[in-house]
Amino acid sequence: MSAPTQRVDARLKVTGAARYGADLTSPNLAHAVFAVSTIGKGRVVNVETAAAEAVPGVLMVLTRFDASDLGSPGFLMGHGYGFQSLQPLVDDRIAYRGQPIALVVADTLIAATEAANLIRADYEIEPIAVALDAEGAETLSQQEAIPLPFLADIVVGDAGAAFDASPVRIEATFDLPQQHQVPMELIGGVVGWRGDTLVVHEGTQNAGALRGGLARQLGLDPAKIEIISPYTGGGFGQKNSLQPHVGPLALASRRLGRPIKFVMPRTQTFHQASFRPASRQLVRLGADETGRLLAAVHEVDQQTSRHDLFPALYTEITSRLYGIGQFRGRHRLVRTDVQTPGFMRAPWEQAAAFAFESVVDEIAYALGQDPVALRLANDADVDPVTGQPFSSRHLAECLRRGADMFGWAGRTHEPGSMRGADGTQIGWGVASGAYPASIAPAVARLSAAADGKVTVGVDGHEMGQGIRTAIVRLISEDLSVAAEDVIVYVGDTRVAPQHLTAGSWGTATALQAVHAALRDLRKRLNVADSDPVDVEALVAATGQATVDVEATTVAPGQPPEIIEQSRAGLVSFAGPVYPGFTAFSFIAHFAEVRIEPTTRRIRVPRVVSVVDCGRVASPVTAVSQVRGGVVWGIGGALRERSEVDPRYGGFANATMEEYPIPVNADIGEVEVGFVDEPDLLLNPVGVKGLGEVSMVGVAAAIANAVFHATGRRHRRLPIRIEDVL
Amino acid sequence: MRPFSYTAPATVAEAVDALAASGPGTKILAGGTTLYDLMKLDIEAPAAVVDVHRLTEIAAIDTTDPGEFSFGAAARMADVADDPVLRRDFPALAESLAKAASQQLRNMATVGGNLLQRTRCGYFRGGPAFPCNKREPGSGCAALGGLDRGHAIFGGSDTCVATYPGDWAVALRAFDAVVDVIGPRGERTVAIADLHVEPGDTPQREHTLAGDELIVRIRVPVAPSSRGSTYHKIRDRESYAFALVSVAAGVAFDDQGAVEDCRIALGGVATLPWRCPAAEMVLTGERLTEESALRAGEAAFAGARPRAHNVFKIELGIRTVADALRIAGERAVR
Amino acid sequence: MTAIVRRSGGNPTNAPDGGLCLALGDMGSSEATLSSAIRTETAFTVNGLRVKMELDPRESLLDVLRERLGLTGTKKGCDHGQCGACTVHLDGRRIVSCLTPAVQVNGQAVTTIEGVAAPDGTLHPLQEAFIDNDALQCGYCTPGQVMSGLACIAEGHAGDDDEIREYLSGNLCRCGAYAGILAAVRETARRTDPRVGEG
Ligand SMILES: Cc1cc2nc3c(=O)[nH]c(=O)nc-3n(C[C@H](O)[C@H](O)[C@H](O)COP(=O)(O)OP(=O)(O)OC[C@H]3O[C@@H](n4cnc5c(N)ncnc54)[C@H](O)[C@@H]3O)c2cc1C
Ligand code: SF4
Ligand code: FES
Ligand code: FES
Ligand code: FES
Ligand code: FES
């Protein structure tokens, strides 16, 4: 039986039959809308709700919950569940513009919206600091503020001195903007009660945190909470935790005795969920005259909120991209008046790679060397930080193969040396990327039935990365069953803990657990690991309707008990440093830019990306993942920036019109290659991560190509038309 | 959104009656892509809406008269953009529509409603968190001293610097279109030049039509430069975006190869569709070269008053004018 | 209200969602009441079936399809015409349903993603091409992309790659499936119109 090559849920998606969180309809649904703060910080003195309550069809207007009914979910990165620790609607504090001040529930969405618009509030306004260098922003040393080993500054040797002693030195500071994930699916879903069981349908990457967090917030038994999220309409980090609307909706629904549908307006999604924080990055890189990189310093100031410390991990990859003997990283966190920033596809790595790989390119030019050759000459053979081996590392192969596919040999070195007939400036740029290969604990429950069908419930969420397809492929190949006979439950707390799916560990994590369950099943069916299986016959032979197995797996080096932490809905992943090895995915990107001679529009007609993500678990969906990452990279390099007006706080371009994510016409050819070497040290299926690494380095490759076209370096993103005029 | 009453008259006469009969809180609804959108944002709140979207009486596209093209106000943007005669003989008009919004929106939006679309200024659309004289007269203007990259460098005032966002009206302005309107007081014709007004002290007032006046058609005289014309639009992404700078340009040459008819109007940079007579003068009687085109561009942007974040629009604009003239010149019959 | 609307699909493969509706159970039912006094009787067809209902003129076609008719294949991504996720056909032309007041479609024919495949479940060639070219990831923009792609071909705007890209730019895809979408539309256009793409 050959494994399916197509995405297994594609048919449901092209017919509109796939059901996302807000697709549940029922005649007795009520609809909810939040009214939000118009000020950037301060106190709500009074909320005027009379006009809202008078709107026909309005069922309730809630402005305050008792903190004992609605506690803090805790912060995801602080042993909690929420995208931030702050729960709105429990006191009079306003921490950021866009924070909810009232919840309106009505019979119809029309009534709820009309009423929410009628809510007015009086405030006491306090001054705000929303930029890294704003007066009133507070800068902390990360390793002092959060004394956890994995957040300590990475220091190898004496990079400062080695840099000073280097014959060739480049130093540059980069400013990276806030950005927003903007998944197409709006935040929200349906919240209701079945008896005393709370049922939440919502697109999420972390059903476990919704359950654990609601249990904590509402004082419920987690066993009485079900989170159901078979499809997530894009997550990209935005949906990686419990968001503050769910708790209030649960309480309102209980009071009302009706389920409530809530779909957050797009503008509110920019304020009631996380975003990629602004950062400022200083990079110093020293080399000898032959092009050997001797020392690197990478210091980053990253924005966080007043109420939480969203950690910074920029140097995790920059310390490993090359075999640089001396490295010094430093992370500082800057408290500002915003909702807590958080994960957005390649949260730190995208910015870190832009800064670092720009400087690597610059040093190649300072030395008169080819940027690919310089990178190849500085490849690392062991993890420079720990001294232990990489589980696998094929970055050099990515660079070589990518250069080949791109036709890099045809490039002329001098900036500005390649032109189109009409004077168009052509630039070719390269950059490397890396992303930690993490693994999380997981539970897989597999049930093989006498009719030949196999049902599996496993930790994992389908947000388009193709996890369901990868699982079906593994089972179908292993048990020789048709793809149609494999039924997969993911994103569902009724079948598994549903640990956070992010950081590209989802596929490796789920597959490793399913793989273990398959081994158990074979034992129960008495077939050797390599023998062919006839599920129907073997199950029938047991005399039972089904044979059920359950397997639990953890990351290398994790104690088995870690699964309890995951069952509680808490983040429990491990990596990239494991006992005995260090694991990263790697990538090389090659980009061509064309800049119009007069009006200077920058276009990216083609990109070639070659990835080392271990074994490619599902070739078709993997190519799509990488292409998507490249689209994100193009958006990050040339388009996306969340604008902040320091007088008002919040985000000023919080719409899909003004926050310009790329459109179809922005995207040219994207060619993808895979090294496809299994990483069997990391897990028995040989899979590393793919989703995030695919965008790491794209912006740098584009910026380096812009330099090659124009001779000008860019230290800020996005690079817009006014930057190249 | 506030409640409102809805009527869909079957004829223009009925529509005029309905408008005459209803009070000052009445709005004409066409494709709704501006009006209904702003109602959803709670920025427009009409008490009554008169729907003219399907008045076929005013939906005709007529490009058969070689002297004048005429477009019913309720004709869809997409249909006008795809009109083969227009594309060949008057590309600036067709392109101004084809490069606007998306095909879905162009299938809904009418060429009449398009003229009266409202600014995309984020503070205006952003609602009560921001002061905005246009939305709430007297409240102030958040764009002054704020994020003004998208704002106007021509035609602004101390109370508002919001850009007129449309494309079609810019092309119409370059070619001296007129607008026929009908109302309870009868019919009249308004030159496109007299349709929009600068914000002055009353940015909430954007045009000169009365609330009960219905646009029935737009007429555009075919000029010598119609065929040699283009609408060149520069934006933050390749499609589905409003203009940073746009230029409607047309040129026609005399027997000697000198420019005898030149049209230049700007979008994305002014509080209303912005015609550039001085720039047109620069080229008239001259040869169209890279150098003369740039001089025209410079003349077009002389007197611009940029704000903190949009100084670049001057340089970009000059080059866009020059490019547009080149494209137009290549199309012109010599 | 006499809405009878065909659901497409059949039994989902690999992706059970059967539990979805059942899971919530019955929390008592109070029929939603219209909050506005000003209602307008509106009659139109959806996927060939007649619908007649009293509408608050404020209701968007998108919300009526999703919340009143249970046709949730059409998605909401922005509610302001800025993303294309809610694309449907009105009298055969693509529009965004979020900026269409539902009362406006009185007497017209609406086609949604649920009406694209044949009644027996046979997919439209464009749907097949989306699957073959993996023109989707999370799938949330996909119904809108399919509706837009169908119209793009029917309009004759699928002549070459640049034209397809331009005429599909009104449908954002945050997953970045643009290359697959382009390929699917190109392939289907060629198959349905032999003149397209030959020169
Ligand atoms: C996401 C998005 C992107 C867009 N991008 C662009 C773009 O790039 N370029 C561009 O030019 N436009 C763009 N638009 C704007 C769009 O083109 C306009 O909204 C549209 O043309 C308005 O026409 P309508 O028929 O929908 O008007 P409506 O919204 O129905 O009406 C607009 C105004 O005109 C009045 N009105 C309508 N018809 C008449 C009439 N016959 N007589 C008198 N008054 C009338 C209405 O009362 C209202 O005040 C975009 C819109 C959206 C939502
Ligand atoms: S520029 Fe005009 S529309 Fe924008 S905030 Fe100022 S007054 Fe309002
Ligand atoms: S974007 Fe983070 S998991 Fe894919
Ligand atoms: S903020 Fe007004 S146009 Fe952008
Ligand atoms: S939901 Fe209609 S265009 Fe976005
Ligand atoms: S497939 Fe996810 S947004 Fe397009």
Side-chain angles (χ1 to χ4, degrees):
Chain A
M1 186 71 52
S2 69
T5 51
Q6 292 172 336
R7 188 181 291 271
V8 297
D9 50 18
R11 188 191 159 92
L12 286 174
K13 289 176 175 176
V14 301
T15 54
R19 299 276 221 107
Y20 300 79
D23 289 346
L24 185 66
T25 51
S26 133
N28 63 337
L29 280 182
H31 295 263
V33 176
F34 283 100
V36 300
S37 154
T38 55
I39 65 157
K41 188 179 183 177
R43 275 169 206 290
V44 198
V45 180
N46 175 47
V47 185
E48 194 46 66
T49 60
E53 281 159 0
V55 171
V58 167
L59 301 166
M60 50 170 67
V61 180
L62 302 166
T63 56
R64 197 64 58 82
F65 290 90
D66 201 298
S68 62
D69 292 337
L70 184 63
S72 163
F75 176 41
L76 181 73
M77 297 304 283
H79 222 69
Y81 302 97
F83 97 82
Q84 63 179 5
S85 59
L86 185 150
Q87 173 61 52
L89 300 176
V90 293
D91 58 23
D92 61 356
R93 293 289 317 160
I94 296 296
Y96 51 89
R97 182 162 70 77
Q99 181 180 320
I101 56 167
L103 172 65
V104 180
V105 186
D107 279 330
T108 63
L109 179 57
I110 283 284
T113 308
E114 179 189 352
N117 283 336
L118 292 171
I119 287 178
R120 293 284 175 273
D122 300 320
Y123 303 94
E124 267 171 39
I125 301 176
E126 293 168 25
I128 54 171
V130 285
L132 286 175
D133 45 15
E135 191 184 326
E138 184 195 355
T139 303
L140 310 170
S141 150
Q142 172 165 289
Q143 60 180 6
E144 285 165 22
I146 328 175
L148 290 174
F150 79 106
L151 296 178
D153 292 342
I154 292 177
V155 176
V156 183
D158 185 350
F163 174 78
D164 290 340
S166 297
V168 184
R169 292 185 298 271
I170 302 285
E171 171 174 335
T173 302
F174 298 83
D175 278 303
L176 281 299
Q178 289 110 329
Q179 295 176 329
H180 278 79
Q181 302 95 338
V182 200
M184 288 294 291
E185 180 193 25
L186 291 161
I187 291 169
V190 175
V191 177
W193 296 80
R194 189 185 63 240
D196 59 353
T197 299
L198 173 62
V199 184
V200 178
H201 296 267
E202 170 151 329
T204 179
Q205 306 170 237
N206 195 350
L210 265 67
R211 180 170 60 174
L214 287 166
R216 183 190 282 185
Q217 281 199 287
L218 308 179
L220 295 174
D221 174 359
K224 295 282 188 196
I225 302 175
E226 294 172 1
I227 312 296
I228 301 166
S229 186
Y231 298 97
T232 299
F236 311 116
Q238 187 201 58
K239 298 172 183 165
N240 70 359
S241 47
L242 175 61
Q243 284 160 345
H245 61 276
V246 190
L249 291 173
L251 292 176
S253 170
R254 189 162 59 188
R255 235 184 264 183
L256 207 58
R258 285 168 67 177
I260 299 177
K261 181 179 281 194
F262 170 69
V263 178
M264 192 182 288
R266 179 57 72 182
T267 295
Q268 290 189 11
T269 67
F270 282 77
H271 299 103
Q272 295 195 46
S274 71
F275 61 96
R276 191 196 300 284
S279 65
R280 180 160 305 145
Q281 318 226 355
L282 169 82
V283 177
R284 295 198 181 98
L285 192 61
D288 68 15
E289 291 90 346
T290 70
R292 244 179 60 79
L293 299 177
L294 301 174
V297 175
H298 187 186
E299 298 181 347
V300 185
D301 287 351
Q302 178 204 271
Q303 170 184 38
T304 186
S305 67
R306 296 278 182 200
H307 41 279
D308 294 306
L309 295 175
F310 176 61
L313 277 160
Y314 297 85
T315 59
E316 193 173 60
I317 63 157
T318 53
S319 56
R320 270 104 172 184
L321 273 177
Y322 301 103
I324 305 176
Q326 325 264 333
F327 186 92
R328 196 189 73 222
R330 188 192 73 185
H331 288 133
R332 297 194 305 181
L333 301 176
V334 184
R335 290 186 189 269
T336 57
D337 297 303
V338 290
Q339 78 267 31
T340 303
F343 296 86
M344 169 165 158
R345 200 172 195 171
W348 306 289
E349 296 76 10
Q350 118 96 2
F354 167 66
F356 202 81
E357 284 292 281
S358 294
V359 174
V360 169
D361 206 70
E362 199 163 341
I363 222 160
Y365 270 86
L367 288 156
Q369 290 196 5
D370 175 76
V372 175
L374 179 113
R375 284 173 169 85
L376 285 171
N378 284 284
D379 197 15
D381 39 21
V382 295
D383 174 4
V385 177
T386 61
Q388 55 183 13
F390 285 105
S391 56
S392 62
R393 177 180 172 113
H394 304 286
L395 176 57
E397 176 63 14
C398 295
L399 283 161
R400 274 192 290 266
R401 203 182 307 171
D404 228 41
M405 286 162 64
F406 191 79
W408 186 258
R411 180 181 187 264
T412 54
H413 182 79
E414 277 314 302
S417 61
M418 291 169 64
R419 300 237 165 184
D422 63 349
T424 293
Q425 292 179 316
I426 300 172
W428 288 4
V430 62
S432 310
Y435 193 85
S438 300
I439 304 253
V443 176
R445 285 158 61 186
L446 200 78
S447 173
D451 62 0
K453 290 207 193 307
V454 179
T455 305
V456 64
V458 60
D459 274 85
H461 301 78
E462 176 63 71
M463 31 302 177
Q465 80 280 42
I467 199 169
R468 194 175 265 123
T469 306
I471 294 167
V472 171
R473 280 175 57 85
L474 182 67
I475 295 175
S476 156
E477 233 161 45
D478 193 289
L479 299 179
S480 307
V481 291
E484 305 79 75
D485 290 334
V486 183
I487 296 138
V488 179
Y489 286 86
V490 288
D492 191 327
T493 56
R494 295 170 301 181
V495 300
Q498 301 307 341
H499 181 276
L500 166 63
T501 303
S504 300
W505 61 64
T507 304
T509 297
L511 291 190
Q512 158 170 304
V514 173
H515 179 265
L518 286 167
R519 296 311 91 186
D520 289 352
L521 180 71
R522 281 170 172 273
K523 269 192 215 117
R524 291 277 303 280
L525 297 175
N526 275 319
V527 264
D529 280 357
S530 51
D531 283 359
V533 187
D534 181 342
V535 174
E536 220 172 316
L538 288 170
V539 174
T542 65
Q544 288 162 323
T546 61
V547 176
D548 302 335
V549 293
E550 177 172 326
T552 300
T553 49
V554 299
Q558 277 188 323
E561 312 83 75
I562 189 78
I563 193 67
E564 293 313 320
Q565 186 177 323
S566 175
R567 279 189 203 284
L570 295 164
V571 171
S572 313
F573 69 93
V577 177
Y578 300 95
F581 61 87
T582 301
F584 281 82
S585 292
F586 297 95
I587 196 163
H589 298 284
F590 295 78
E592 173 172 322
V593 303
R594 287 175 174 253
I595 306 177
E596 287 183 318
T598 51
T599 47
R600 309 298 285 161
R601 281 176 288 192
I602 307 174
R603 292 173 170 129
V604 186
R606 66 191 185 106
V607 175
V608 168
S609 304
V610 181
V611 200
D612 162 21
C613 59
R615 187 168 80 86
V616 179
S618 164
V620 167
T621 59
V623 170
S624 296
Q625 272 287 91
V626 180
R627 285 186 176 151
V630 171
V631 172
W632 273 65
I634 293 172
L638 303 177
R639 303 268 182 273
E640 295 174 36
R641 173 191 180 90
S642 303
E643 304 285 356
V644 177
D645 185 326
R647 301 167 303 170
Y648 302 105
F651 296 95
N653 57 338
T655 66
M656 290 175 106
E657 170 186 325
E658 297 158 280
Y659 185 89
I661 71 173
V663 295
N664 203 318
D666 285 321
I667 304 305
E669 303 296 321
V670 180
E671 208 185 331
V672 178
F674 293 101
V675 175
D676 202 5
E677 285 286 344
D679 186 333
L680 295 169
L681 258 188
L682 185 61
N683 60 62
V685 278
V687 173
K688 301 196 275 188
L690 180 61
E692 336 252 337
V693 79
S694 59
M695 91 170 285
V696 181
V698 178
I702 290 172
N704 292 340
V706 170
F707 167 77
H708 184 232
T710 66
R712 213 169 128 206
R713 291 280 172 201
H714 293 272
R715 310 288 192 211
R716 282 182 315 162
L717 293 182
I719 305 170
R720 295 197 287 206
I721 202 161
E722 56 263 48
D723 302 312
V724 291
L725 269 179
Chain B
M1 205 185 310
R2 313 294 167 94
F4 61 91
S5 69
Y6 172 85
T7 44
T11 63
V12 169
E14 273 179 45
V16 172
D17 288 348
L19 288 166
S22 55
T26 303
K27 275 272 182 185
I28 296 169
L29 174 74
T33 60
T34 288
L35 181 63
Y36 186 55
D37 184 35
L38 289 174
M39 287 163 69
K40 282 186 157 190
L41 291 171
D42 218 29
I43 291 169
E44 298 255 24
V49 150
V50 176
D51 187 352
V52 301
H53 198 216
R54 277 153 69 200
L55 289 183
T56 43
E57 249 179 288
I58 53 166
I61 300 169
D62 186 352
T63 48
T64 56
D65 176 351
E68 181 184 86
F69 289 173
S70 133
F71 309 97
R76 302 296 189 268
M77 288 171 72
D79 291 332
V80 177
D82 272 348
D83 184 90
V85 177
L86 195 69
R87 286 166 57 140
R88 188 193 64 212
D89 293 346
F90 221 143
L93 295 189
E95 287 171 0
S96 75
L97 293 166
K99 291 181 182 177
S102 68
Q103 184 72 356
Q104 289 95 311
L105 290 160
R106 295 189 293 265
N107 275 332
M108 303 162 68
T110 62
V111 293
N114 184 290
L115 300 178
L116 303 188
Q117 64 179 291
R118 305 195 67 188
T119 187
R120 309 304 286 195
C121 171
Y123 300 113
F124 168 72
R125 291 175 58 88
F130 311 110
C132 169
N133 290 323
K134 191 188 276 295
R135 176 166 33 79
E136 192 131 1
S139 64
C141 168
L144 301 175
L147 299 168
D148 53 18
R149 179 172 182 267
H151 287 77
I153 59 178
F154 291 110
S157 72
D158 293 343
T159 63
C160 180
V161 288
T163 305
Y164 173 78
D167 295 304
W168 164 240
V170 174
L172 295 176
R173 181 80 179 84
F175 291 94
D176 300 319
V178 297
V179 175
D180 296 332
V181 301
I182 185 167
R185 295 164 300 283
E187 293 186 43
R188 64 185 183 116
T189 295
V190 183
I192 188 90
D194 300 327
L195 181 64
H196 299 96
V197 292
E198 291 187 13
D201 294 334
T202 52
Q204 69 278 17
R205 181 169 172 268
E206 290 161 4
H207 58 80
T208 55
L209 300 188
D212 55 8
E213 282 185 309
L214 178 73
I215 302 175
V216 289
R217 85 182 68 69
I218 297 152
R219 289 182 287 121
V220 197
V222 177
S225 57
S226 294
R227 195 179 264 260
S229 73
T230 189
Y231 189 78
H232 197 36
K233 182 175 177 184
I234 309 295
R235 30 193 165 168
D236 272 328
R237 57 186 180 195
E238 292 292 320
S239 185
Y240 204 11
F242 287 91
L244 281 173
V245 174
S246 65
V247 177
V251 286
F253 301 102
D254 64 17
D255 306 343
Q256 268 68 54
V259 173
E260 69 170 4
D261 180 22
C262 176
R263 310 293 179 117
I264 300 171
L266 308 178
V269 292
T271 55
L272 69 180
W274 194 257
R275 184 82 178 263
C276 306
E280 294 171 358
M281 286 300 292
V282 165
L283 273 185
T284 309
E286 284 223 25
R287 290 191 168 273
L288 177 59
T289 63
E290 221 179 293
E291 180 274 333
S292 66
L294 276 171
R295 263 194 292 122
E298 279 156 14
F301 282 85
R305 293 188 44 202
R307 313 193 56 79
H309 304 106
N310 60 15
V311 181
F312 76 97
K313 282 187 174 181
I314 297 177
E315 183 59 34
L316 178 62
I318 291 169
R319 297 184 195 186
T320 309
V321 168
D323 259 15
L325 288 166
R326 177 182 52 74
I327 298 166
E330 283 164 8
R331 287 177 182 169
V333 252
R334 290 192 190 238
Chain C
M1 175 169 138
T2 59
I4 328 138
V5 179
R6 170 166 53 85
R7 294 286 181 83
S8 75
N11 272 338
T13 313
N14 311 120
D17 69 358
L20 205 69
C21 281
L22 304 175
L24 256 171
D26 187 13
M27 293 186 63
S29 61
S30 63
E31 187 50 48
T33 50
L34 282 175
S35 59
S36 165
I38 315 163
R39 298 180 208 182
T40 304
E41 184 156 291
T42 308
F44 53 104
T45 67
V46 181
N47 302 331
L49 292 162
R50 270 211 295 280
V51 176
K52 197 166 159 195
M53 55 207 309
E54 292 249 298
L55 292 175
D56 182 322
R58 293 177 290 177
E59 290 178 87
S60 69
L61 178 60
L62 173 60
D63 286 338
V64 168
L65 289 171
R66 289 180 53 81
E67 306 302 336
R68 306 260 228 134
L69 301 175
L71 291 169
T72 54
T74 307
K75 301 298 186 226
K76 184 182 285 186
C78 70
D79 215 18
H80 288 281
Q82 301 170 358
C83 78
C86 65
T87 302
V88 300
H89 294 181
L90 184 62
D91 281 352
R93 294 160 63 115
R94 51 174 154 164
I95 59 155
V96 288
S97 57
C98 66
L99 287 190
T100 302
V103 288
Q104 238 186 3
V105 309
N106 190 32
Q108 290 184 286
V110 177
T111 308
T112 69
I113 189 69
E114 288 90 347
V116 171
D120 69 352
T122 306
L123 297 184
H124 185 282
L126 183 63
Q127 291 173 310
E128 293 284 2
F130 262 66
I131 298 176
D132 293 344
N133 290 285
D134 203 39
L136 59 129
Q137 293 189 49
C138 78
Y140 196 81
C141 73
T142 311
Q145 302 280 1
V146 170
M147 297 314 286
S148 212
L150 288 170
C152 176
I153 296 167
E155 288 156 9
H157 284 306
D160 60 30
D161 284 4
D162 283 347
E163 190 180 17
I164 296 172
R165 285 188 174 110
E166 168 62 29
Y167 279 85
L168 285 175
S169 282
N171 292 80
L172 303 184
C173 173
R174 187 51 157 168
C175 294
Y178 294 131
I181 295 165
L182 167 68
V185 172
R186 179 208 293 133
E187 195 178 294
T188 310
R190 283 196 188 151
R191 220 185 299 162
T192 44
D193 181 353
R195 288 165 311 171
V196 167
E198 294 299 323

mmCIF file of all heavy atoms in Angstrom, chain A residues 184, chain C residues 136-142 173-175, ligand 6:
data_model
loop_
_atom_site.group_PDB
_atom_site.id
_atom_site.type_symbol
_atom_site.label_atom_id
_atom_site.label_comp_id
_atom_site.label_asym_id
_atom_site.label_seq_id
_atom_site.Cartn_x
_atom_site.Cartn_y
_atom_site.Cartn_z
ATOM 1 N N MET A 184 -5.414 33.793 8.600
ATOM 2 C CA MET A 184 -6.671 34.170 7.933
ATOM 3 C C MET A 184 -7.883 33.911 8.824
ATOM 4 O O MET A 184 -8.855 34.646 8.783
ATOM 5 C CB MET A 184 -6.823 33.388 6.628
ATOM 6 C CG MET A 184 -5.874 33.846 5.538
ATOM 7 S SD MET A 184 -6.197 35.525 4.963
ATOM 8 C CE MET A 184 -7.744 35.275 4.126
ATOM 9 N N LEU C 136 -3.176 24.684 -1.035
ATOM 10 C CA LEU C 136 -3.755 25.088 0.243
ATOM 11 C C LEU C 136 -2.925 24.530 1.379
ATOM 12 O O LEU C 136 -2.189 23.567 1.202
ATOM 13 C CB LEU C 136 -5.180 24.536 0.379
ATOM 14 C CG LEU C 136 -5.268 23.013 0.286
ATOM 15 C CD1 LEU C 136 -6.037 22.447 1.450
ATOM 16 C CD2 LEU C 136 -5.880 22.614 -1.011
ATOM 17 N N GLN C 137 -3.059 25.149 2.511
ATOM 18 C CA GLN C 137 -2.468 24.585 3.723
ATOM 19 C C GLN C 137 -3.548 24.535 4.796
ATOM 20 O O GLN C 137 -4.253 23.549 4.915
ATOM 21 C CB GLN C 137 -1.243 25.381 4.139
ATOM 22 C CG GLN C 137 -0.119 25.216 3.119
ATOM 23 C CD GLN C 137 1.170 25.807 3.618
ATOM 24 O OE1 GLN C 137 1.621 25.569 4.727
ATOM 25 N NE2 GLN C 137 1.799 26.620 2.775
ATOM 26 N N CYS C 138 -3.699 25.624 5.546
ATOM 27 C CA CYS C 138 -4.712 25.574 6.602
ATOM 28 C C CYS C 138 -6.113 25.439 6.020
ATOM 29 O O CYS C 138 -7.025 24.993 6.692
ATOM 30 C CB CYS C 138 -4.616 26.787 7.512
ATOM 31 S SG CYS C 138 -5.326 28.290 6.823
ATOM 32 N N GLY C 139 -6.293 25.865 4.778
ATOM 33 C CA GLY C 139 -7.577 25.685 4.115
ATOM 34 C C GLY C 139 -8.590 26.787 4.369
ATOM 35 O O GLY C 139 -9.684 26.756 3.808
ATOM 36 N N TYR C 140 -8.235 27.746 5.178
ATOM 37 C CA TYR C 140 -9.233 28.743 5.564
ATOM 38 C C TYR C 140 -9.560 29.703 4.420
ATOM 39 O O TYR C 140 -10.699 30.111 4.259
ATOM 40 C CB TYR C 140 -8.736 29.530 6.782
ATOM 41 C CG TYR C 140 -9.837 30.282 7.470
ATOM 42 C CD1 TYR C 140 -10.694 29.637 8.367
ATOM 43 C CD2 TYR C 140 -10.042 31.629 7.228
ATOM 44 C CE1 TYR C 140 -11.717 30.316 8.999
ATOM 45 C CE2 TYR C 140 -11.066 32.321 7.849
ATOM 46 C CZ TYR C 140 -11.894 31.664 8.740
ATOM 47 O OH TYR C 140 -12.909 32.345 9.361
ATOM 48 N N CYS C 141 -8.557 30.039 3.624
ATOM 49 C CA CYS C 141 -8.813 30.941 2.495
ATOM 50 C C CYS C 141 -9.339 30.174 1.294
ATOM 51 O O CYS C 141 -9.741 30.775 0.311
ATOM 52 C CB CYS C 141 -7.531 31.677 2.095
ATOM 53 S SG CYS C 141 -6.341 30.620 1.239
ATOM 54 N N THR C 142 -9.280 28.832 1.367
ATOM 55 C CA THR C 142 -9.473 28.008 0.173
ATOM 56 C C THR C 142 -10.844 28.146 -0.484
ATOM 57 O O THR C 142 -10.914 28.289 -1.710
ATOM 58 C CB THR C 142 -9.159 26.534 0.514
ATOM 59 O OG1 THR C 142 -7.897 26.494 1.185
ATOM 60 C CG2 THR C 142 -9.099 25.684 -0.733
ATOM 61 N N CYS C 173 -3.771 34.756 1.098
ATOM 62 C CA CYS C 173 -3.516 33.447 1.700
ATOM 63 C C CYS C 173 -2.331 33.611 2.624
ATOM 64 O O CYS C 173 -1.203 33.792 2.159
ATOM 65 C CB CYS C 173 -3.198 32.403 0.636
ATOM 66 S SG CYS C 173 -2.696 30.824 1.355
ATOM 67 N N ARG C 174 -2.570 33.589 3.919
ATOM 68 C CA ARG C 174 -1.461 33.815 4.836
ATOM 69 C C ARG C 174 -0.534 32.610 4.884
ATOM 70 O O ARG C 174 0.637 32.748 5.220
ATOM 71 C CB ARG C 174 -1.997 34.144 6.235
ATOM 72 C CG ARG C 174 -0.940 34.556 7.235
ATOM 73 C CD ARG C 174 -0.028 35.679 6.718
ATOM 74 N NE ARG C 174 0.599 36.415 7.801
ATOM 75 C CZ ARG C 174 1.605 37.273 7.620
ATOM 76 N NH1 ARG C 174 2.105 37.483 6.410
ATOM 77 N NH2 ARG C 174 2.104 37.922 8.648
ATOM 78 N N CYS C 175 -1.044 31.425 4.561
ATOM 79 C CA CYS C 175 -0.153 30.271 4.517
ATOM 80 C C CYS C 175 0.809 30.376 3.333
ATOM 81 O O CYS C 175 1.789 29.657 3.271
ATOM 82 C CB CYS C 175 -0.952 28.980 4.409
ATOM 83 S SG CYS C 175 -1.947 28.641 5.866
HETATM 84 S S1 FES D 6 -4.393 28.021 3.038
HETATM 85 FE FE1 FES D 6 -4.170 28.994 4.959
HETATM 86 S S2 FES D 6 -4.638 31.042 4.452
HETATM 87 FE FE2 FES D 6 -4.575 30.101 2.514
#
